[in-house]
Amino acid sequence: MEKFETLSGIAAPMPLVNIDTDMIIPKVFLKSIKRNGFGANLFDEMRFNRDGTEIPDFVLNKPQYREASILVAGDNFGCGSSREHAPWAIADFGIKCVISTSFADIFFNNCFKNGILPIVLPQEQVDLLMKDAEKGSNARMTVDLEAQEITSSDGDVIPFEVDAFKKQCLINGLDDIGLTMEKVPAIDAFEAKAGAARPWV
């Protein structure tokens, strides 16, 4: 997993509330357990017509937001089913941070496991960042995970809270497998000791 330290990029405004995981990645695309390849179908039913052509009014289809790496979203983002493909699709598209007033618990935790920083802020601060994002590609936000601060294009600095353990995992690029691999020497030592004490096992 890529390390997350400081992110500076374009923020896309998506004020719609209750964006569920089926909207993020429709179930018809859940045909793989690989983490890559899902970005092409992120928000598929909102991004594309049935004939596959783009819907011009959808925010991520607009030229100024095609390279967005931050998403400023409405309340209760990531609700619905617990599919981990949702953060896979978001990360594969290139979005590394989602800001909202609230997230569904499972989606929220899955984000950290896939290199995405979900940030919860009060409504008035999300509104401020939403307006900033509406300025387009000339308005770039900076998210500093170490300092736990968001800086808007106008220079407004907004602090945010994040669990200390999850923060360190993102900064060090550690998912569940990475955390386990850190314990390999201790696991090997235990197995060697257990094997010597109980060779019949």
Side-chain angles (χ1 to χ4, degrees), residues 43-73:
F43 299 118
D44 191 86
E45 293 177 357
M46 293 190 284
R47 280 174 67 197
F48 303 105
N49 294 303
R50 290 190 177 183
D51 63 2
T53 58
E54 290 186 350
I55 298 173
D57 289 339
F58 183 68
V59 62
L60 296 179
N61 288 338
K62 296 179 179 180
Q64 62 268 41
Y65 295 115
R66 287 184 181 273
E67 302 300 322
S69 57
I70 301 167
L71 189 66
V72 184

Side-chain angles (χ1 to χ4, degrees), residues 189-201:
F190 173 82
E191 290 182 341
K193 184 177 180 180
R198 297 183 297 275
W200 59 86
V201 175

Side-chain angles (χ1 to χ4, degrees), residues 1 35 172-184:
M1 190 172 78
R35 297 186 184 192
N172 292 294
L174 296 173
D175 56 12
D176 287 348
I177 294 174
L179 286 168
T180 301
M181 295 304 293
E182 284 195 321
K183 306 296 183 183
V184 166

Side-chain angles (χ1 to χ4, degrees), residues 8-50:
S8 181
I10 299 164
M14 190 175 290
L16 185 66
V17 301
N18 300 321
I19 293 178
D20 64 30
T21 52
D22 193 55
M23 295 167 71
I24 295 170
I25 183 71
K27 60 182 179 294
V28 67
F29 299 109
L30 309 186
K31 299 176 181 178
S32 174
I33 57 172
K34 295 180 180 179
R35 297 186 184 192
N36 55 5
F38 292 102
N41 302 112
L42 178 68
F43 299 118
D44 191 86
E45 293 177 357
M46 293 190 284
R47 280 174 67 197
F48 303 105
N49 294 303
R50 290 190 177 183

